[in-house]
Amino acid sequence: MFKSLRWKLQFFYSALLATVILSSGSIFYYQVWRSTFTEVDRRLEAAALYLDVTLRSFPPPVQQGIEATLMPPPPLRPDGTAPPPPRPRRSKEQFLEELRLPQELNIPGINNPRDQPYFMVMTANDMLLKKEYLPQGYSEEDSLAKKFYPQPTLIMLKNNLREVRMIGPGGTKIIAGKSLEYEIVRMRYIAIQFTLVGIVFLVFGVGVSFAIASRMVRPITQMSATAELLSEKDLGKRLNINQIDSELAGLAEVLNRLFSRLDASFSRQRQFTADASHELRTPLTVIRSASELALSQPRSPAEYQETIEVSLKASERMTNLVNGLLALARLDSSNADFHLRQINLSDLASESVSLLRAIASEKQVSLVSDLHSVQIFGNPESLSRMIDNLITNAILYNKPGGKVFITLKSYDDKAVLEIKDTGVGISEEHLPFIFERFYRVDKARSRLSGGSGLGLAICKGVIEKHNGAITAQSVLGEGTTFQIQLPIWNY
Ligand code: ADP
């Protein structure tokens, strides 16, 4: 499962999504949490300051918990009239009765006043002036035992109580506080909501990522399915590049090219097997029919001799063919048996020229050689056989009185060997195929000369093994030139 590309993609997407949901949810939750509690603190501080300012608006006796003494009546005006009576001051009870936190300092969204801020005001010597909405179980003694500060100071008490404490006018002690139960429950509720929404998003995201991962690996699955369908008999199938995403189109093209090469290689192999069987069958049929004919009735010694000669010729052809097949098989196989060493190509060419001079003169063809010394790194046996083959062809497919020019030169870092004849030439339609196995331009003539149609294919194989190239140019009726290029040895 962990080797599956789809599962890896799926896992990666899901992990990424979970991380994004978790981190963004946590950040968002933290922001809500912070703003909620900051707001509570801000309002509690405002409440304490409000109480402080309100207490200041009354004369000190109120602040100290003493009844205000009656003021003496104001002096008469110069005209003898009594001044207008001063505005009646509120009594201490009335003032304390009316002392409460204004609506604006309440926390929005809370209907129960018990969940809103509470407060408590005491004189400097701990006499209670006013308390409102103190939560249940609130211990006034414990609270008074704690320190008060000149500035509004926030503290956290047991049972999730948040308080601002400060010293007001005339040493009064002011407490404004709030139970955070409501906020904590609300934050818990928000956390549950966030978790549920996160889970829904995650499930949805995992579903989408599954679909995406499946969609992404589908072309690969299709490609492997098509590749699987390709059997030896149905190598014609190809991947449809138009239906494949651009990133995978390159791979599909490579696979298609591979299929084409395999297809071509299998066809060549089939063709080769068919051709080889056909080539072997002909001499076998000759031997068999000649032998049957000879044995069908008593024959004279001369007739037997003729039969044996025919069989010998046919077996010679078979030997040639089998040798050719063996040489090709060796060239097709690994490089293990193909030993290379430093050699002078001109030595090999001049050996071949002297070896074939006899056959050439028999065919009334003259060999003209111009060979310069060129060192190469190669296999002398196979290269000699190749040169022999090319010169033999140039002699056999020549005209009486014709010529074969063998030249060897070096250009830049290449040895260039040319075998040029003034023979029958090869027509344009045949020229591209002459290096193919069993390809013969004139079958009858080639067979007569003992040719198997494998010679040039072997030459090409040998040259390619040496990292070289062989080309042929020909004009029908005028002659053919084979040019071989091989890398020079210059170490
Ligand atoms: P083969 O053994 O039949 O000669 P090759 O592979 O050597 O087979 O050559 C393939 C065919 O190419 C020959 O059948 C022949 O028709 C043609 N060919 C090869 N060399 C020459 C040449 N020098 N001049 C004309 N035709 C040639």
Side-chain angles (χ1 to χ4, degrees):
M1 178 171 152
F2 292 105
K3 287 213 154 180
S4 149
L5 184 61
R6 180 202 281 191
W7 283 111
K8 271 187 199 158
L9 275 174
Q10 168 86 64
F11 177 75
F12 174 73
Y13 286 143
S14 305
L16 191 71
L17 191 68
T19 314
V20 169
I21 290 176
L22 200 70
S23 51
S24 58
S26 308
I27 291 169
F28 197 52
Y29 181 76
Y30 172 72
Q31 291 297 340
V32 175
W33 186 88
R34 219 173 82 123
S35 74
T36 303
F37 292 104
T38 313
E39 179 64 11
V40 169
D41 288 352
R42 203 180 61 76
R43 283 177 191 253
L44 288 179
E45 272 175 346
L49 288 172
Y50 171 81
L51 292 168
D52 179 58
V53 169
T54 314
L55 285 172
R56 270 174 216 283
S57 69
F58 274 81
V62 174
Q63 298 155 7
Q64 285 154 21
I66 314 162
E67 282 297 341
T69 47
L70 284 173
M71 300 289 280
L76 292 176
R77 286 179 175 169
D79 59 359
T81 56
R87 257 192 307 131
R89 271 179 167 274
R90 281 180 292 170
S91 69
K92 177 192 153 195
E93 284 74 24
Q94 203 184 349
F95 163 68
L96 290 176
E97 168 62 31
E98 287 171 8
L99 182 64
R100 53 178 55 90
L101 294 176
Q103 284 289 315
E104 299 88 69
L105 292 181
N106 280 350
I107 311 286
I110 302 180
N111 296 327
N112 188 355
R114 290 258 148 225
D115 290 326
Q116 291 294 357
Y118 60 86
F119 73 91
M120 189 159 76
V121 183
M122 280 139 309
T123 62
N125 47 7
D126 294 347
M127 227 178 77
L128 180 71
L129 289 174
K130 171 102 185 200
K131 61 175 178 183
E132 202 165 60
Y133 299 134
L134 284 193
Q136 261 182 357
Y138 187 87
S139 162
E140 290 164 35
E141 290 90 66
D142 285 1
S143 178
L144 281 173
K146 290 202 166 68
K147 225 180 146 191
F148 283 85
Y149 306 85
Q151 292 300 319
T153 307
L154 285 154
I155 60 162
M156 194 73 206
L157 297 180
K158 282 189 294 189
N159 304 331
N160 296 323
L161 296 178
R162 183 75 161 156
E163 271 187 7
V164 172
R165 312 168 135 246
M166 70 179 289
I167 298 172
T172 44
K173 292 173 179 169
I174 300 170
I175 292 176
K178 179 168 180 342
S179 161
L180 298 181
E181 284 302 330
Y182 172 83
E183 279 74 17
I184 289 170
V185 170
R186 188 167 154 255
M187 286 314 298
R188 211 171 284 154
Y189 179 65
I190 291 176
I192 292 171
Q193 273 184 334
F194 269 32
T195 312
L196 288 177
V197 170
I199 289 172
V200 169
F201 266 98
L202 192 65
V203 169
F204 178 72
V206 167
V208 170
S209 68
F210 182 78
I212 292 175
S214 307
R215 167 77 191 80
M216 284 184 80
V217 297
R218 197 186 306 150
I220 301 175
T221 326
Q222 274 174 1
M223 275 160 75
S224 53
T226 313
E228 203 126 303
L229 272 178
L230 293 173
S231 66
E232 205 178 307
K233 282 192 184 123
D234 189 14
L235 277 167
K237 258 194 186 319
R238 293 288 175 274
L239 299 167
N240 188 350
I241 291 172
N242 296 333
Q243 285 176 5
I244 292 173
D245 299 324
S246 58
E247 287 83 357
L248 290 171
L251 176 62
E253 268 172 35
V254 171
L255 280 176
N256 275 351
R257 278 203 293 275
L258 178 71
F259 296 155
S260 300
R261 279 206 300 278
L262 273 177
D263 196 6
S265 155
F266 276 120
S267 323
R268 267 204 308 275
Q269 209 173 34
R270 276 198 293 271
Q271 185 64 41
F272 179 71
T273 315
D275 287 348
S277 323
H278 179 77
E279 291 296 327
L280 282 171
R281 206 174 56 189
T282 315
L284 276 174
T285 314
V286 169
I287 295 172
R288 192 189 164 130
S289 44
S291 310
E292 276 174 357
L293 191 72
L295 292 174
S296 60
Q297 60 183 71
R299 305 268 174 196
S300 66
E303 282 171 325
Y304 283 126
Q305 191 171 352
E306 196 187 332
T307 306
I308 292 169
E309 274 168 9
V310 166
S311 300
L312 191 65
K313 265 217 163 92
S315 65
E316 265 169 17
R317 262 187 71 190
M318 273 168 41
T319 311
N320 272 348
L321 195 71
V322 170
N323 283 342
L325 289 174
L326 203 64
L328 279 174
R330 284 212 182 107
L331 287 171
D332 286 343
S333 70
S334 71
N335 288 335
D337 304 336
F338 206 72
H339 302 294
L340 303 176
R341 61 181 168 89
Q342 189 191 344
I343 42 171
N344 194 335
L345 193 58
S346 64
D347 290 349
L348 301 184
S350 68
E351 262 174 39
S352 295
V353 170
S354 19
L355 198 79
L356 296 168
R357 232 177 250 291
I359 305 175
S361 62
E362 197 183 303
K363 299 275 172 185
Q364 296 163 35
V365 173
S366 52
L367 303 183
V368 184
S369 60
D370 176 16
L371 306 169
H372 291 77
S373 166
V374 184
Q375 298 288 328
I376 65 156
F377 196 61
N379 179 275
E381 292 79 30
S382 62
L383 285 170
S384 286
R385 223 175 299 136
M386 176 207 67
I387 300 170
D388 286 354
N389 209 325
L390 289 174
I391 300 177
T392 311
N393 276 353
I395 298 168
L396 292 181
Y397 300 107
N398 218 317
K399 302 167 194 164
K403 284 186 173 161
V404 177
F405 300 95
I406 303 117
T407 53
L408 175 63
K409 287 185 180 129
S410 65
Y411 292 104
D412 299 331
D413 54 352
K414 286 193 181 86
V416 180
L417 174 67
E418 255 181 23
I419 293 152
K420 182 177 174 181
D421 65 62
T422 53
V424 293
I426 305 165
S427 67
E428 254 178 63
E429 64 198 274
H430 292 296
L431 201 57
F433 308 105
I434 55 168
F435 292 106
E436 282 180 13
R437 296 169 183 194
F438 296 113
Y439 193 86
R440 281 176 290 214
V441 176
D442 181 348
K443 294 194 180 5
R445 184 177 170 165
S446 179
R447 280 214 185 94
L448 272 179
S449 63
S452 59
L454 292 177
L456 288 181
I458 295 171
C459 288
K460 191 167 186 250
V462 169
I463 297 297
E464 279 172 358
K465 275 267 186 191
H466 286 83
N467 297 321
I470 180 166
T471 52
Q473 284 175 338
S474 187
V475 179
L476 195 62
E478 286 184 22
T480 308
T481 306
F482 284 92
Q483 192 191 66
I484 292 151
Q485 295 191 0
L486 288 166
I488 281 184
W489 169 263
N490 44 15
Y491 295 99

